[in-house]
């Protein structure tokens, strides 16, 4: 059997990515934003994390602080939106559910991209890519591009071509592009444009004469492994069409969970920080419960701003938990171990919790003598369910349930309505 015939029988990988995801999610419910330069800002309305094509055309770089953009916003017609994580999360879930209808093999890689296992002739795969692209735009309202290839690395590369080259019309299949055209495109792209290669690594590759993706694809895989790593060797092999990075059905089973936030207004008292840690401990508990995980170690930390011009401090504490747990009471008590290390008067700009040594819930049953009486009551699950139904802040334990004094919470003055997750903010449609 010839190699092309064999490749058509093997699974191919489709990479689907939402274009300018945050900006596209905003436009899905506000058509007046179409055609306007739009930036979505980071936590506390700090800097631009997503830019619409029109904003990119103005030369606005990612990470540009909003206070620098605001004076010229009216001149440019620039619109800014605060990050609307509730909306983006729900839009993402809808996209992934829709993509899952087209393949039984789906890996959600991030909030705005996914890999799918697909099979078929080149014409069939191109048709499938167009069907997925059209379905997501029609039923969810956000534009996507699709790249299809024998490997993940090539699929992401095809997606990049589909997004930046209008002749592909948003869908690119590796085997449908003539070999001479592929080589030409690979030769034009610098090596830091490939998945997994950036910054310092690209400079090391440049130093040995590898400047383009085409150069990397022609490199000796063994020599690359010896000089760099097995990971880089896999990249070379993937560029040659040999699958080395398998599809993963589940990415939740990570070895740590970090819950970290910056404050809109610095926290300066231990009493206020107790409330912060209580709320974060309970939210971390809800997140663990959502993924069916328990943690054995909690690390709590705080930090002042490095740019405040005042005294700096970075206290932290590591607390081994008596047993694997997702119980909000135990996690909150452990987080409070940071309090004695804090100093009243210092302007803390950030606090975080890191949960490590994660394991599936019920994986190890403790002896009855050491059982946590709260664990079986499912308090963490209860908090997660109430928060999901009535919104974050609807319920809390102890200091985490105090409503006053929340001026430290994240600033989102330009947030659009949470159209799909809050009854009071549902969009209204009027028929003429």
């Amino acid at each position: 059997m010839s190699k092309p015939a064999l490749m058509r029988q093997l699974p191919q990988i489709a990479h689907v990515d939402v274009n300018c995801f945050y900006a596209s999610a905003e436009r899905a419910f506000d058509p007046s934003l179409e055609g306007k330069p739009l930036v979505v800002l980071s936590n506390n309305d700090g800097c631009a994390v997503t830019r619409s094509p029109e904003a990119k055309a103005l030369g606005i770089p990612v990470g540009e602080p909003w206070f620098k953009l605001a004076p010229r916003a009216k001149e440019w017609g620039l619109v800014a939106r605060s990050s609307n994580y509730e909306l983006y999360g729900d839009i993402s879930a809808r996209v992934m559910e829709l993509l899952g209808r087209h393949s039984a093999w789906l890996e959600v890689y991030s909030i705005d991209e996914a890999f799918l296992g697909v099979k078929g002739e080149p014409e069939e795969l191109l048709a499938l890519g167009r069907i997925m692209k059209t379905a997501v735009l029609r039923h969810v309202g956000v534009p996507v591009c699709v790249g299809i290839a024998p490997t993940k690395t090539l699929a992401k590369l095809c997606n990049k071509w589909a997004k930046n080259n209008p002749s592909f019309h948003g869908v690119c299949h590796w085997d449908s592009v003539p070999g001479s055209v592929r080589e030409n495109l690979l030769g034009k792209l610098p090596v830091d444009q490939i998945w997994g290669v950036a910054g310092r690594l690209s400079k090391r590759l440049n130093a040995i004469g590898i400047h383009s993706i085409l150069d990397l694809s022609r490199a000796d895989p063994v020599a690359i492994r010896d000089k760099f790593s097995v990971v880089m060797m896999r990249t070379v092999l993937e560029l040659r069409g040999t699958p080395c990075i398998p599809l993963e059905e589940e990415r939740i089973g990570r070895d740590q969970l970090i819950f970290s936030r910056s404050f809109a207004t610095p926290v300066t008292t231990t009493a206020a920080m107790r409330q912060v840690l209580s709320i974060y401990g309970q939210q971390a508990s809800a997140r663990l419960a959502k993924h069916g995980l328990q943690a054995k170690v909690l690390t709590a930390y705080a930090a002042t701003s490095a740019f405040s011009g005042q005294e700096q401090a970075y206290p932290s504490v590591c607390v081994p938990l008596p047993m694997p747990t997702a119980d909000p009471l135990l996690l909150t008590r452990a987080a409070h171990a940071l309090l004695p290390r804090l100093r009243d008067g210092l302007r803390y700009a950030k606090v975080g919790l890191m949960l490590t040594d994660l394991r599936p819930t019920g994986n190890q049953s403790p002896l009855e003598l050491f059982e946590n009486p709260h664990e079986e009551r499912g308090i963490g699950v209860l908090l997660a369910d109430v928060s999901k139904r009535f919104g974050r802040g609807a319920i809390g334990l102890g200091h985490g349930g105090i409503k006053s004094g929340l001026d430290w919470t994240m600033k989102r003055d330009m947030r659009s309505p949470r159209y799909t997750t809050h009854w009071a903010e549902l969009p209204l449609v009027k028929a003429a």
Side-chain angles (χ1 to χ4, degrees), residues 140-160:
V140 185
V142 294
V144 302
C145 285
V146 183
I148 305 173
T151 70
K152 276 187 172 182
T153 302
L154 289 177
K156 282 184 73 76
L157 186 59
C158 286
N159 193 301
K160 185 185 293 289

Side-chain angles (χ1 to χ4, degrees), residues 22 38-42 46-52 55-66 69:
Y22 289 179
L38 170 67
V39 293
V40 178
L41 305 176
S42 62
C47 58
V49 292
T50 296
R51 305 152 297 154
S52 69
K56 293 177 182 178
L58 291 173
I60 298 173
V62 66
E64 185 74 358
W66 172 241
L69 298 173

Side-chain angles (χ1 to χ4, degrees), residues 73-88:
K74 186 174 182 181
E75 173 191 346
W76 290 337
L78 180 64
V79 179
R81 289 285 185 267
S82 303
S83 293
N84 190 341
Y85 298 116
E86 297 89 341
L87 175 65
Y88 307 152

Side-chain angles (χ1 to χ4, degrees), residues 15-19 133 143-147 159 162-164 169-171:
H15 177 249
V16 184
D17 183 34
V18 182
N19 303 341
K133 179 177 181 292
V144 302
C145 285
V146 183
N159 193 301
K163 190 171 295 185
N164 297 319
H169 303 290
V171 180

Side-chain angles (χ1 to χ4, degrees), residues 4 109 154 257 294 387 392:
Y109 186 72
L154 289 177
L257 186 154
Q294 295 177 323
S387 297
R392 184 174 293 180

Side-chain angles (χ1 to χ4, degrees), residues 290-313:
K290 175 183 176 181
H291 296 312
L293 297 172
Q294 295 177 323
K296 189 66 171 60
V297 179
L298 180 144
T299 300
Y301 56 90
T304 55
S305 173
F307 307 101
S308 65
Q310 300 179 353
E311 182 180 353
Q312 297 181 24

Side-chain angles (χ1 to χ4, degrees), residues 119-252:
K119 280 186 178 183
E121 299 287 337
E123 296 78 11
E124 295 172 326
L125 293 176
L126 277 174
L128 176 62
R130 296 186 186 109
I131 289 171
M132 291 191 290
K133 179 177 181 292
T134 302
V136 173
L137 182 61
R138 179 179 180 182
H139 297 293
V140 185
V142 294
V144 302
C145 285
V146 183
I148 305 173
T151 70
K152 276 187 172 182
T153 302
L154 289 177
K156 282 184 73 76
L157 186 59
C158 286
N159 193 301
K160 185 185 293 289
W161 289 347
K163 190 171 295 185
N164 297 319
N165 192 325
S167 65
F168 288 112
H169 303 290
V171 180
C172 175
H173 179 229
W174 177 260
D175 293 329
S176 298
V177 181
S180 58
V181 176
R182 292 200 303 247
E183 285 201 4
N184 184 46
L185 292 171
L186 290 173
K188 289 181 178 179
L189 285 174
V191 71
D192 62 3
Q193 293 296 302
I194 199 64
W195 185 31
V197 177
R200 192 181 307 172
L201 182 55
S202 66
K203 293 179 180 178
R204 290 178 59 197
L205 289 167
N206 293 163
I208 62 172
I210 297 177
H211 299 279
S212 68
I213 297 177
L214 182 61
D215 294 335
L216 183 60
S217 69
R218 291 175 172 174
D220 180 5
V222 177
I224 291 294
R225 180 199 63 191
D226 294 342
K227 194 167 185 65
F228 294 91
S229 66
V230 172
V231 175
M232 276 304 304
M233 182 183 74
R234 290 173 182 164
T235 298
V236 174
L237 292 173
E238 288 243 327
L239 285 173
R240 294 182 174 190
T242 302
C244 299
I245 307 173
L247 283 167
E248 301 175 20
E249 293 184 0
E250 185 61 77
R251 295 178 56 85
I252 294 174

